[in-house]
Amino acid sequence: MANIKKLEESEVFKSYFKNLTDRERAVFEGGITLGALFHQFVGTPVSLNNKESLEKAIEEAMKNQPCVEDIEVKIVGDFEEGKYVSLTGEMLNVKLKIRVNETIAILRLRYIEELDYPLMYVEKIE
Amino acid sequence: MANIKKLEESEVFKSYFKNLTDRERAVFEGGITLGALFHQFVGTPVSLNNKESLEKAIEEAMKNQPCVEDIEVKIVGDFEEGKYVSLTGEMLNVKLKIRVNETIAILRLRYIEELDYPLMYVEKIE
Amino acid sequence: MANIKKLEESEVFKSYFKNLTDRERAVFEGGITLGALFHQFVGTPVSLNNKESLEKAIEEAMKNQPCVEDIEVKIVGDFEEGKYVSLTGEMLNVKLKIRVNETIAILRLRYIEELDYPLMYVEKIE
Amino acid sequence: MANIKKLEESEVFKSYFKNLTDRERAVFEGGITLGALFHQFVGTPVSLNNKESLEKAIEEAMKNQPCVEDIEVKIVGDFEEGKYVSLTGEMLNVKLKIRVNETIAILRLRYIEELDYPLMYVEKIE
C-alpha cells in the first residue's frame, strides 16, 4: 500500500540524522548492521546441514535494518560431515550495500589472514 | 556414509552421561537446546518479510544439537507491514522432540499468559 | 520481605513440573541455564581488561534463572596484552549448582580436549 | 609496555580505512559498537540483583572495540523485587565516546518514546 511507511522514513526519525552527511549516515548504518549481525549470530550451531538456511536467515533478518539495500552472507570453513560447530566471526564473509538518498556504500565483514581478525570495513562509497 | 559418526555417538562422549537415566538425559539435552535457542536468537530483527526464513533457520540450527530428533518453531505476534521488531522470548512457540535410546521427551517453550513469562517445560516423556 | 515470592514459587509455575522427579527437574533447569549462558555470551569481546567483570556478570545474570543456587564462571585462555578476542565456548569453564527441594545437581560446561568440544554434563546429583 | 600495540594501530589495519575521513571512521566504529552491544546482550536475564554488574560488564567489554574511548551504560526500567526479565533494547541507555585522531564522536542508543524504538544516533561530532 502506498501509505505504509517504514520507520526510517518518518520525520521524527530523520530529525535525528540531520547532523550527518549522506556518506556519514551510510557508514554509520552500515557499521550498526555489521556489528549487529556478528554479535547476534556468532555462537549459532552450524553444519553442512544448516549452513544455507542460516546464511539466508541472516540476510533476510538484516534487510530489516534501516538503509540496508542488499546483503550477501557466506559462511566459510571446512565443515565435516556429521559434525557441527559454533559459528565464529572468522567464518563470516559479508558484503553489505547501504543506500542513503543517492549515496551507496559497500561494506565488508571478512576474515583478514594478515591480521588474524574478522575485519569490518568500508569497501567503497559512491 | 555408514561410518560417519556424530560426536554424540563416540564412547568418550557417552562416558560423561553414564550417571543419568535415559529420561534424565532427555530432559537435560532438551533443556540445553531450549536455553540455547532462546538466548541465541532473541534480539534478531524480525518482520513479516523474514519470519519464515528465521523460523526455518532456528529449526535447522537446533537439529545439530545432541539428541534433537525434531523441532518446530513458530514466531507469533502481530506484525505490522513495513515495521520490524526485535525477537523476544514471548514471541517464541517451540515444540522440541528429544530421543535418548527408546525414550522420547516432548518439550515446550511458549508464553504463558497467567505467568506473563515464556516458560520452558517438559510436556511429556514416553 | 517475607511475601515477595519468586516466579518459580508460584503454584501455576509449579503445576508445569509435576511430571518430573526432583532429579529430572534439576537436570532440566541446569541444562537450560548452561545452554542459555553459552549462547548469550559467546561472541562478547574479552581481554585481560574485562575478563573478571565479564565472569562476574555472567554469574550474577545466571543466578536469576529458576533453581540456580550457585554458579562459578572462569574464562580461560592465553590472553595477550592489548589484544581482545570474541568469547568462545572453548574458553568457558562453568560449575553450576542447582537445587530442587532436597536434590542438588552439580553441572559443568568445560572444554574436553579428547572431544575437541565444550561439553555440558552433569557431574553429580545428590 | 611501550611497544605493545593494539591491533587497530597496525599499518595493515589502518590501510583498510584510508578511504574514510576521521568523521566517517568515527561514526562507522561507533555504529559497529552500538550494533554489537545491542545484539550481544539483549536477552540476558536481568533483575535488581545483577543490573549493576551487567552494566559494568557491558561497558568494559565494549571498551575493547577499536576507537572506543569511553562508554556509559544504564539499564532502565521498573524492576520488581524477586523478579527477573530478559534485557531488551528499550531498556538500554548508552552514551558512547569514539576517538579517531582529533575527532571525537558522541553516540547514543536510547529508547525514543515518539518512535517507540530504541534508536542509535550520533549526538555530536567535534
Side-chain angles (χ1 to χ4, degrees):
Chain A
M1 265 164 61
N3 54 1
I4 290 168
K5 292 224 299 185
K6 294 182 77 169
L7 176 69
E8 65 201 75
E9 289 157 12
S10 84
E11 288 309 312
V12 177
F13 194 97
K14 282 180 180 171
S15 71
Y16 282 92
F17 298 99
K18 289 195 173 142
N19 57 344
L20 301 184
T21 66
D22 286 355
R23 283 175 60 105
E24 287 163 0
R25 178 79 194 284
V27 297
F28 176 60
E29 296 293 345
I32 292 171
T33 293
L34 292 180
L37 182 162
F38 184 112
H39 290 272
Q40 184 63 58
F41 294 103
V42 160
T44 305
V46 62
S47 68
L48 288 174
N49 294 330
N50 73 310
K51 202 174 75 73
E52 278 177 51
S53 65
L54 184 56
E55 289 169 345
K56 183 161 186 276
I58 298 175
E59 290 172 350
E60 296 303 315
M62 291 301 137
K63 283 179 189 165
N64 289 310
Q65 299 268 136
C67 311
V68 173
E69 186 157 295
D70 204 6
I71 181 167
E72 221 181 283
V73 174
K74 291 287 164 216
I75 297 172
V76 292
D78 296 324
F79 292 99
E80 288 172 51
E81 196 77 43
K83 206 176 156 181
Y84 78 100
V85 294
S86 286
L87 183 70
T88 63
E90 284 77 6
M91 295 162 67
L92 288 167
N93 188 329
V94 178
K95 189 164 188 169
L96 170 66
K97 185 179 178 180
I98 297 283
R99 172 187 290 276
V100 176
N101 300 316
E102 300 310 303
T103 299
I104 303 283
I106 306 295
L107 298 101
R108 302 295 307 270
L109 159 57
R110 68 183 180 89
Y111 177 70
I112 306 289
E113 215 178 313
E114 245 181 315
L115 296 169
D116 186 25
Y117 185 82
L119 189 69
M120 300 177 190
Y121 62 96
V122 181
E123 199 165 83
K124 60 179 172 183
I125 314 180
E126 284 167 351
Chain B
M1 267 164 59
N3 53 1
I4 289 167
K5 293 225 297 186
K6 294 181 78 169
L7 176 70
E8 65 201 74
E9 289 156 13
S10 83
E11 288 310 311
V12 178
F13 194 97
K14 283 180 180 172
S15 70
Y16 283 92
F17 298 99
K18 289 196 173 140
N19 57 343
L20 300 185
T21 67
D22 286 356
R23 284 175 60 104
E24 288 163 1
R25 178 78 194 285
V27 298
F28 176 60
E29 297 292 345
I32 291 171
T33 293
L34 292 180
L37 182 162
F38 184 112
H39 290 272
Q40 184 63 58
F41 293 103
V42 160
T44 305
V46 60
S47 68
L48 289 173
N49 294 330
N50 73 310
K51 201 174 77 71
E52 279 177 51
S53 65
L54 185 56
E55 289 169 346
K56 183 161 188 277
I58 297 175
E59 290 172 350
E60 297 302 315
M62 292 300 138
K63 283 178 188 166
N64 289 311
Q65 299 267 136
C67 310
V68 173
E69 186 155 298
D70 204 5
I71 181 167
E72 222 182 283
V73 175
K74 291 287 163 217
I75 297 171
V76 292
D78 296 324
F79 292 98
E80 288 172 52
E81 195 77 43
K83 207 178 155 179
Y84 78 99
V85 294
S86 286
L87 184 70
T88 64
E90 285 76 6
M91 295 161 67
L92 287 166
N93 189 328
V94 178
K95 189 165 188 170
L96 171 66
K97 184 178 178 181
I98 297 283
R99 173 187 289 276
V100 176
N101 299 316
E102 299 310 301
T103 299
I104 303 283
I106 306 295
L107 298 102
R108 301 296 306 272
L109 160 57
R110 67 183 181 88
Y111 177 71
I112 307 289
E113 215 177 313
E114 246 181 313
L115 297 168
D116 186 24
Y117 186 83
L119 189 69
M120 300 176 190
Y121 62 96
V122 181
E123 200 166 83
K124 61 179 171 182
I125 314 180
E126 282 167 352
Chain C
M1 267 166 58
N3 54 0
I4 288 168
K5 292 224 300 186
K6 293 181 79 168
L7 176 69
E8 64 200 75
E9 289 157 12
S10 84
E11 288 311 311
V12 178
F13 194 97
K14 283 180 180 171
S15 71
Y16 282 91
F17 298 99
K18 288 196 173 139
N19 57 344
L20 300 185
T21 66
D22 286 356
R23 284 175 59 104
E24 288 163 1
R25 178 80 194 285
V27 297
F28 176 60
E29 297 293 345
I32 291 171
T33 293
L34 292 180
L37 182 162
F38 184 112
H39 290 271
Q40 184 63 58
F41 294 104
V42 161
T44 305
V46 62
S47 68
L48 289 174
N49 294 329
N50 73 310
K51 203 175 77 74
E52 278 177 51
S53 65
L54 185 56
E55 289 169 345
K56 183 161 187 279
I58 297 175
E59 290 172 350
E60 297 302 315
M62 291 301 136
K63 282 179 188 165
N64 289 310
Q65 298 268 136
C67 311
V68 173
E69 187 155 296
D70 203 5
I71 181 167
E72 221 181 283
V73 174
K74 291 286 165 219
I75 297 172
V76 291
D78 296 323
F79 292 100
E80 289 172 51
E81 196 78 42
K83 206 176 155 180
Y84 78 100
V85 294
S86 286
L87 184 70
T88 64
E90 286 76 7
M91 295 161 67
L92 287 166
N93 189 329
V94 177
K95 190 165 188 169
L96 170 66
K97 185 179 178 180
I98 297 282
R99 172 186 290 276
V100 176
N101 300 317
E102 301 309 303
T103 299
I104 302 283
I106 306 295
L107 299 101
R108 301 297 305 271
L109 159 57
R110 66 183 181 88
Y111 177 70
I112 307 289
E113 214 177 314
E114 246 181 314
L115 297 168
D116 187 24
Y117 185 81
L119 190 69
M120 299 176 189
Y121 63 97
V122 180
E123 200 166 82
K124 61 179 172 183
I125 314 180
E126 284 168 351
Chain D
M1 267 164 58
N3 54 0
I4 289 169
K5 292 224 299 185
K6 294 181 78 168
L7 176 68
E8 65 201 74
E9 289 157 11
S10 84
E11 287 310 310
V12 178
F13 194 97
K14 283 180 180 172
S15 71
Y16 282 92
F17 298 100
K18 288 195 174 140
N19 57 344
L20 300 184
T21 66
D22 286 355
R23 283 175 60 106
E24 287 164 1
R25 178 80 194 284
V27 298
F28 176 60
E29 297 293 344
I32 290 171
T33 293
L34 293 179
L37 182 162
F38 184 112
H39 290 272
Q40 183 64 58
F41 294 103
V42 160
T44 305
V46 61
S47 68
L48 288 174
N49 294 329
N50 73 310
K51 202 175 76 72
E52 278 177 52
S53 65
L54 185 56
E55 289 169 345
K56 183 161 187 280
I58 298 175
E59 290 172 350
E60 297 302 317
M62 291 300 138
K63 283 179 189 165
N64 289 311
Q65 298 268 136
C67 311
V68 173
E69 185 156 297
D70 204 6
I71 181 166
E72 220 181 284
V73 174
K74 291 287 164 219
I75 297 172
V76 293
D78 296 324
F79 292 99
E80 288 171 53
E81 196 78 43
K83 206 177 155 179
Y84 78 99
V85 294
S86 286
L87 183 70
T88 63
E90 285 76 7
M91 295 161 68
L92 288 166
N93 189 330
V94 177
K95 189 164 187 170
L96 171 66
K97 184 178 179 181
I98 297 283
R99 172 187 290 274
V100 175
N101 299 317
E102 299 311 302
T103 298
I104 303 283
I106 305 295
L107 298 101
R108 300 297 306 271
L109 159 58
R110 66 184 181 87
Y111 178 70
I112 306 290
E113 215 177 314
E114 245 181 314
L115 297 168
D116 186 24
Y117 185 82
L119 189 69
M120 299 176 191
Y121 62 97
V122 181
E123 200 165 82
K124 62 179 171 183
I125 314 180
E126 284 167 352

